[in-house]
Amino acid sequence: MGPLSDIRVVELGQLIAGPFCAQLFGDLGANVIKIEPPKTGDPMRQWGAGDPPVWWEVIARNKRSVAADLRTPEGQEIARRLIATADVLIENFRPGTLEKWNLAPADLCAANPRLIVVRVSGYGQTGPYSTRAGFGGIGEAMGGWRALVGTADRPPSRLGVSIGDSLAGTYGCLGALAALHEREKSGRGQVVDVSLFESVLQVMEGLVPEYAAAGHVRVRSGSILKGIAPSNVYPCSDGELLIAGNQDAIFRRLATAMGQPELGEDPRFATHVARGQNQALLDEMIANWTRGQTVAAVEKLMEEYAVPAGRMFAARDMLADPHFAAREAIVSVETKHHGTLPMQGVFPRLSRTPGGVRAAAPVTVGADTDALLGEVGYDAAALADLKQRGIV
């Protein structure tokens, strides 16, 4: 099931960026083999809420688990045999780690010339910072994201999710798909070098050229983007609603919905530039109007007048919302520890060969070790020996 059902992926990563990259592959149908340290497994098994934590159920879905101690020659041989059968290898260790483990990509590609190696790291495989340790938050800071989150009178904030890691995992998957396409012509694999900081930098819009060309420095601006108005979260009598009327025709419709159509022709608000110059005043006027009404009432008006608006959704709202249900944006997965567990579905959607959640996350570390190592030449006696010595 899925467009990548003929692709075999070996994941050596841990925590978020590498495993998220492999999750995307698995969601789209790839056969994903995750190699974990014996006994302890990926630290993600212990992250998040729940007993045991449920985040693992998302990031490890559609994967099979093999236990192997990559710090030992025997564990390295296990990895080499599995990688020899793979189309894609994903790793997110500090640069030099694979080489230290006798798993240098050059050697792996010599044995498997069609292999594509996705290497995710904090700073990339080259450059003066390449050997530094780097987590997603550091990539967010260096890439420019953190400096813009929050309000100007307080230190930078962070988004409530690990966006730097997820962006890097997404770009890793994108790069691997491009390399798979190129392989159809050349017959050869290659290395995909993904850094956390560059993955964040890629989504920073005009941050760098605006400074270079005009000396413009973006700053933290709280719930607004400076000069983009109206686009803010406005208070209602029973909650809050985000309204985005920052386009001339849309703003005129918003003004009419507010019962103040004259605002659409007011020189202070009639154009994009004028609204940006009078952003604070305009936000105050809209807030004064929304305060006297419920979220539902304002939302209904915005829908009637075709003004983009949205509630602040939490998990409970997503689970109850009919649009989430109609789109199957949240799917139910049968798990051993948590029963039927709702989680985000597979995106993007393909009309003819959609992906899906085919299997729950592996419950135990190395749940598929015997079966998968049997496929690459290990007999029962060899497996028993490796287990006795704690290598698998």
Side-chain angles (χ1 to χ4, degrees), residues 193-277:
D193 181 358
V194 180
S195 75
L196 291 164
F197 89 92
E198 286 165 319
S199 298
V200 174
L201 176 64
Q202 184 66 272
V203 300
M204 294 310 295
E205 303 172 349
L207 179 78
V208 172
E210 287 171 353
Y211 173 75
H216 176 70
V217 178
R218 292 199 186 191
V219 296
R220 294 189 293 284
S221 54
S223 64
I224 66 168
L225 283 177
K226 187 173 176 58
I228 308 298
S231 183
N232 207 340
V233 177
Y234 299 97
C236 298
S237 61
D238 60 348
E240 299 169 323
L241 189 72
L242 193 153
I243 299 174
N246 51 297
Q247 193 269 347
D248 292 353
I250 295 175
F251 176 69
R252 288 193 290 271
R253 295 199 297 270
L254 172 60
T256 301
M258 293 170 60
Q260 303 176 59
E262 68 278 3
L263 293 179
E265 307 301 328
D266 189 315
R268 298 173 298 173
F269 311 123
T271 68
H272 170 77
V273 173
R275 288 193 299 276
Q277 293 170 341

Side-chain angles (χ1 to χ4, degrees), residues 116-166:
I116 291 157
V117 183
V118 179
R119 310 197 73 176
V120 184
S121 61
Y123 302 93
Q125 300 297 313
T126 61
Y129 302 165
S130 61
T131 58
R132 294 182 182 181
F135 278 170
I138 308 304
E140 293 165 26
M142 187 174 178
W145 182 294
R146 284 289 184 98
L148 299 184
V149 180
T151 57
D153 61 340
R154 292 174 179 265
S157 299
R158 71 164 295 161
L159 194 64
V161 296
S162 303
I163 191 66
D165 288 293
S166 298

